[in-house]
Amino acid sequence: MKRWAIAAALALALPRCALALALPRCAPATERAVAEVRPTPDAGALPPSFDPAERVERYAPEGATVVVHFTRDGRNAVPATDADGDGWPDYVALVSETYQRVLAFEASAMRFRSPLSDATLADNGGDGRFDVYLVDFNGRGDGAFRSDACDPAAPWRCRGHMLQDNDFNGYSYPSLAVAVRTVASHELFHSTQAAYRSADSATLAEGTAVWATERFDPSLDDLERLSAPYLSATDRSLDVEPSGPADSFSYGVSLWFLHQGQRHGDSIVEALLARRDRADAPSWLVDYRDVLRARDRSFVDEFNHFASWCLFTATLSDPARGPAQGAQLRPVARTALALGRHTSVLRLFRSSFRVFAIDAPPALTSLVVAVDPASNTANTALLVAPIRGGRIDSVTQRPLASLTLDAHNAERLLLVAVNGNAEGPSAILTLCAQDHGRRECEPPTFAPDAGADAGSAPPQQPAPPAGCDATPARTSNAARALLLLAALYSALVARRFR
Amino acid sequence: MNLAPSPSSSRTALALTLLCAACAPSPAAPDALDADARSSAVDANANANVDASASMPDRAPTLDDAAVTDAPNPATDAPDAPVCAARAVPCADESAMRLRYLTVVNASAITNEPLAGGEFRSIIDARAGGAAVTQSYVYARFTSDGLRKLELTDEDALRSTEWDIALRRFVIRLNSGVSGPSCVLGARASSADWASVTAVADLALGEERYFDGTCQFVDDRSGINGPATILAPYWTYAGCLQMTHAIFVARLRDGRAVKLTVESYYDPDKQRECDETGMVSTPNNAAVLRLRWSFLR
């Protein structure tokens, strides 16, 4: 987090594009941001903006697709270095070149729409090209996209301009070039989003913007760093909006788009934005589910795969089964599961998953799952991932129900409860692991309190592995061997992620 | 936990029945609910088939309706009979998701400084593990000895009428409406003069309604997407949390009333820095709140 030294000093600032006053959460273009004036002297714009005494210049070399507005004097002055002696500060040229590269990449390589032109606006920076204003953020963010106006016929589509820090002085980017590439690729994607639907969900806006930076330049570390808030809170739904001034979960949702982009190409994200180009769009997850359906894909399957994919990070990294940059990511948050003890009653929200870990599991581990039948248990699943020899041996998908698992020779067993719904209420459950036939789980503490027919889902005894007439009572060695064989067979026929 | 396999169309009524049976008011008990008996019944209103009007009454259900007991004696810590019965919490699943309810009891403590005139300054460590919270809200009850912390998880609190106020980071909730099963109603006082706020009389007290009748989130319009709780106007956001010094009045479940104001979100000197400059330097102990309050007589 060293990059954000100043922002951190401000305690509640955000990692990217925190607009100091009106938009501290970096909403790409909220309704209140529409019709903002340009940050030129005397324009009355919200800070940051140029001071009245500052002389603002335009940098727009022939053929350039962007115009950079800057000043050489005052508190918003850019670094004066002009190594090539062309009369223009090198920083300004760097900004111009980088923004043009990003625009070209997003439109040509990723095949997204270009930001809407501001040619028809009275205050348009001089012409219809995209405008970038270099002003001092003073540590309160480092760049921002601001909307100017929206289409009368389609008021969810908007056009705007960019603000970027004038010198990144006090920030901890390793170089100005890295700073500009990072901010340009992130914030410009907000202008791209606005060409489809402005003022959209923060998780969609920030998640795709961080993903776009990764696509533009995989050497930048934004996604690697900003995915941490997601990997530490996978029990949050992908589309639940962040609350509060310092909630960076939405940036971490970039992992979902990285996963989907790798499986289906950039076009799947473009298709999502295009689908949202309408007046009354529902949650973006619902739209995304429909985009997948149109491609004969299932959101449930994709999310289950994503949950598996997220296991392969940090020391468990495996680029063949997880993120290519998995070694640079933090481990997914896990809850230790003690044998013989039920978890607290858990809510498994839509498009979320919870990872549990059993250290030194018994060779045959029984899992007792008690589910509230009144809750939404459709499209839930259990992923089983034994760790052997320091790596995840396999990931198999099973129903989220009591069952017996083969943990033979595993030093750790990861269990992932997944809710693959794109909408709807949560599943409510408890889990308890036990040594099959030996240590039994006590009955859950939430026994029904309204009579026998009140309907607590009594925790089922773990289903014996297929084809085996075992009971959860004491078993003989021979029976245990059979159980093991059956569990192995069961694991083979269960769905396995690769 | 009520794990009732009821049809969705009847879940509200059943949930309400079960909940009320489970948590019949018992002020003398530390918590009438089994701490492990976390609610699923309170999730009933997450179902779209639920009649929203049934779960979100247009007005506070009980304070005006119930037979109010004799004026309680604020000098004692023994609350009088509660003036409302527990009820199912509407939009509980949405609250759990949106407000990030957790199942870990907040480990922090509350410190009470007695002030003149029977007032208190309560210092509540509402950091909850940091900006990415890892602990439940701090749940507390107003008593004559000060603000007393209760050992509740967020899920427990959905079925507990024992708490009056919950605090975590910048969010402060009262136990009513979509926030909890009790009837702690509140309002912002019309006066900004602490001494002049002496009665509930002319205030239109309300319950928490930061989800609407269809369980859509109602934000505080601050720009940072916080819930529009009754006490949300204690701050404004301008690069940091600035204090408005608004005074609030809350009528508790036992009929007593308190007035309160949040003095600071940061350490006092840092709060002044924030209030005066719009910026705050670190370290600043963000989310260690100072609450000044007293019972209204």
Side-chain angles (χ1 to χ4, degrees):
Chain A
M1 299 296 282
K2 61 181 181 178
R3 178 184 302 168
W4 313 108
I6 292 180
L10 292 172
L12 290 173
L14 284 179
R16 164 74 12 79
C17 56
L19 305 187
L21 295 174
L23 300 171
R25 190 173 38 77
C26 180
T30 68
E31 290 178 5
R32 80 180 69 182
V34 170
E36 282 193 69
V37 296
R38 300 292 172 96
T40 48
D42 302 322
L46 287 172
S49 63
F50 292 111
D51 292 334
E54 292 174 342
R55 177 173 170 267
V56 180
E57 300 177 54
R58 294 172 86 244
Y59 178 76
E62 187 174 350
T65 54
V66 301
V67 179
V68 181
H69 305 257
F70 70 100
T71 184
R72 301 173 195 254
D73 301 305
R75 66 180 179 85
N76 291 299
V78 298
T81 305
D82 178 18
D84 59 7
D86 66 352
W88 296 100
D90 293 343
Y91 176 66
V92 173
L94 170 69
V95 170
S96 175
E97 186 268 336
T98 305
Y99 275 76
Q100 291 182 74
R101 279 180 48 212
V102 174
L103 280 174
F105 182 81
E106 290 181 356
S108 300
M110 298 175 75
R111 306 186 72 81
F112 281 77
R113 295 177 191 168
S114 295
L116 300 181
S117 168
D118 61 5
T120 59
L121 301 182
D123 185 6
N124 63 6
D127 54 41
R129 289 177 288 183
F130 193 82
D131 297 289
V132 181
Y133 296 82
L134 302 179
V135 289
D136 185 12
F137 273 74
N138 194 28
R140 304 168 96 176
D142 48 16
F145 169 73
R146 288 187 174 177
S147 285
D148 294 316
C150 301
D151 277 352
W156 54 91
R157 284 188 222 127
C158 302
R159 65 208 71 221
H161 60 276
M162 274 281 310
L163 307 181
Q164 183 183 289
D165 196 72
N166 62 317
D167 57 8
F168 291 100
N169 187 22
Y171 295 76
S172 297
Y173 285 105
S175 68
L176 274 177
V178 167
V180 175
R181 286 205 305 272
T182 302
V183 175
S185 55
H186 182 104
E187 299 299 340
L188 258 179
F189 200 74
H190 287 323
S191 69
T192 297
Q193 293 161 350
Y196 296 84
R197 182 180 183 82
S198 186
D200 214 341
S201 148
T203 50
L204 175 60
E206 300 302 345
T208 53
V210 174
W211 166 78
T213 292
E214 183 73 5
R215 288 286 295 113
F216 173 68
D217 185 349
S219 73
L220 299 173
D221 70 352
D222 244 28
L223 182 138
E224 288 80 355
R225 190 173 48 81
L226 294 173
S227 61
Y230 180 77
L231 288 171
S232 63
T234 61
D235 59 321
R236 292 174 71 169
S237 295
L238 283 175
D239 67 337
V240 167
E241 296 303 296
S243 178
D247 188 344
S248 49
F249 176 83
S250 55
Y251 298 81
V253 174
S254 54
L255 267 188
W256 166 252
F257 294 105
L258 181 70
H259 173 262
Q260 290 295 287
Q262 287 182 356
R263 283 169 65 80
H264 307 298
D266 297 338
S267 65
I268 194 85
V269 181
E270 199 280 337
L272 171 61
L273 297 192
R275 181 164 178 79
R276 297 187 66 70
D277 183 1
R278 64 190 199 274
D280 296 316
S283 156
W284 66 263
L285 269 184
V286 172
D287 270 346
Y288 193 71
R289 180 192 61 194
D290 294 343
V291 166
L292 286 167
R293 275 183 185 159
R295 298 180 178 211
D296 292 326
R297 300 281 182 174
S298 150
F299 181 84
V300 180
D301 290 345
E302 292 298 320
F303 194 77
N304 285 336
H305 191 280
F306 174 63
S308 167
W309 186 79
C310 286
L311 297 177
F312 295 94
T313 59
T315 58
L316 296 176
S317 170
D318 179 350
R321 296 184 287 174
Q325 49 279 81
Q328 300 162 263
L329 305 181
R330 63 150 287 164
V332 66
R334 306 165 190 160
T335 301
L337 208 54
L339 292 179
R341 289 178 54 188
H342 279 276
T343 63
S344 303
V345 175
L346 304 170
R347 290 174 194 263
L348 196 57
F349 300 118
R350 66 175 183 259
S351 65
S352 77
F353 63 93
R354 292 174 180 263
V355 182
F356 302 90
I358 307 171
D359 286 336
L364 283 178
T365 300
S366 294
L367 187 68
V368 178
V369 179
V371 178
D372 175 1
S375 68
N376 181 22
T377 55
N379 298 318
T380 56
L382 180 74
L383 307 183
V384 181
I387 297 176
R388 297 185 174 97
R391 62 190 296 274
I392 294 175
D393 194 49
S394 62
V395 182
T396 50
Q397 180 182 324
R398 309 290 293 273
L400 185 55
S402 299
L403 75 173
T404 300
L405 306 162
D406 169 27
H408 188 72
N409 288 338
E411 58 257 28
R412 178 173 291 168
L413 188 59
L414 299 182
L415 302 171
V416 188
V418 189
N419 183 336
N421 288 303
E423 60 182 336
S426 62
I428 299 175
L429 65 144
T430 70
L431 302 178
C432 181
Q434 64 186 10
D435 191 347
H436 190 86
R438 292 187 176 178
R439 274 173 287 182
E440 304 293 342
C441 290
E442 293 297 318
T445 53
F446 52 80
D449 55 4
D453 61 349
S456 167
Q460 307 158 341
Q461 290 298 344
C468 181
D469 188 21
T471 70
R474 306 292 182 264
T475 49
S476 66
N477 286 340
R480 290 173 64 78
L482 280 174
L483 279 172
L484 177 57
L485 285 172
L488 286 170
Y489 172 76
S490 179
L492 283 174
V493 300
R495 178 171 186 173
R496 183 170 293 206
F497 291 106
R498 299 189 187 283
Chain B
M1 178 169 189
N2 301 303
L3 297 170
S6 53
S8 56
S9 58
S10 63
R11 284 167 59 188
T12 299
L14 179 57
L16 184 62
T17 302
L18 297 180
L19 184 65
C20 289
C23 53
S26 177
D31 187 338
L33 302 174
D34 179 349
D36 290 313
R38 299 170 181 91
S39 170
S40 67
V42 292
D43 296 323
N45 294 300
N47 190 299
N49 294 327
V50 167
D51 178 2
S53 62
S55 58
M56 290 286 288
D58 290 329
R59 64 191 182 93
T62 53
L63 271 182
D64 296 333
D65 300 339
V68 179
T69 61
D70 293 338
N73 178 5
T76 73
D77 188 24
D80 287 306
V83 295
C84 68
R87 59 177 193 154
V89 180
C91 312
D93 205 42
E94 287 81 358
S95 287
M97 184 158 49
R98 191 82 190 215
L99 274 65
R100 190 145 174 71
Y101 285 177
L102 299 172
T103 54
V104 177
V105 173
N106 195 302
S108 69
I110 295 176
T111 305
N112 290 290
E113 296 175 5
L115 305 175
E119 295 182 5
F120 289 96
R121 175 178 293 116
S122 299
I123 302 172
I124 305 108
D125 182 347
R127 290 176 291 185
V133 296
T134 58
Q135 301 172 30
S136 296
Y137 281 71
V138 177
Y139 292 91
R141 185 167 64 203
F142 293 100
T143 77
S144 56
D145 296 325
L147 191 63
R148 193 166 83 194
K149 185 186 175 230
L150 301 173
E151 302 298 312
L152 295 172
T153 70
D154 293 327
E155 291 286 341
D156 296 334
L158 283 170
R159 299 189 67 204
S160 171
T161 56
E162 297 303 306
W163 60 278
D164 295 324
I165 190 169
L167 311 94
R168 190 170 71 185
R169 306 302 300 181
F170 66 99
V171 177
I172 304 179
R173 305 185 278 120
L174 300 178
N175 189 352
S176 62
V178 297
S179 176
S182 188
C183 54
V184 181
L185 307 185
R188 182 174 181 171
S190 53
S191 171
D193 175 28
W194 178 258
S196 71
V197 178
T198 58
V200 180
D202 58 343
L203 290 174
L205 301 177
E207 63 183 18
E208 293 287 12
R209 291 172 176 269
Y210 47 81
F211 284 91
D212 67 15
T214 58
C215 293
Q216 296 297 306
F217 183 68
V218 181
D219 83 32
D220 56 13
R221 301 188 177 187
S222 65
I224 60 174
N225 214 23
T229 63
I230 291 166
L231 267 70
Y234 85 83
W235 59 275
T236 58
Y237 188 81
C240 58
L241 244 72
Q242 296 178 320
M243 295 297 100
T244 62
H245 303 292
I247 300 168
F248 301 89
V249 170
R251 182 183 281 166
L252 311 181
R253 177 169 167 259
D254 60 10
R256 292 188 291 180
V258 295
K259 63 176 178 178
L260 62 145
T261 186
V262 181
E263 294 182 321
S264 64
Y265 175 81
Y266 308 103
D267 281 343
D269 58 329
K270 301 294 183 177
Q271 189 65 62
R272 280 191 293 276
E273 178 186 338
C274 168
D275 291 348
E276 292 168 5
T277 68
M279 294 191 291
V280 61
S281 54
T282 55
N284 54 39
N285 269 335
V288 178
L289 295 137
R290 282 165 174 76
L291 190 70
R292 179 186 178 189
W293 64 273
S294 71
F295 284 106
L296 292 174
R297 294 174 185 274

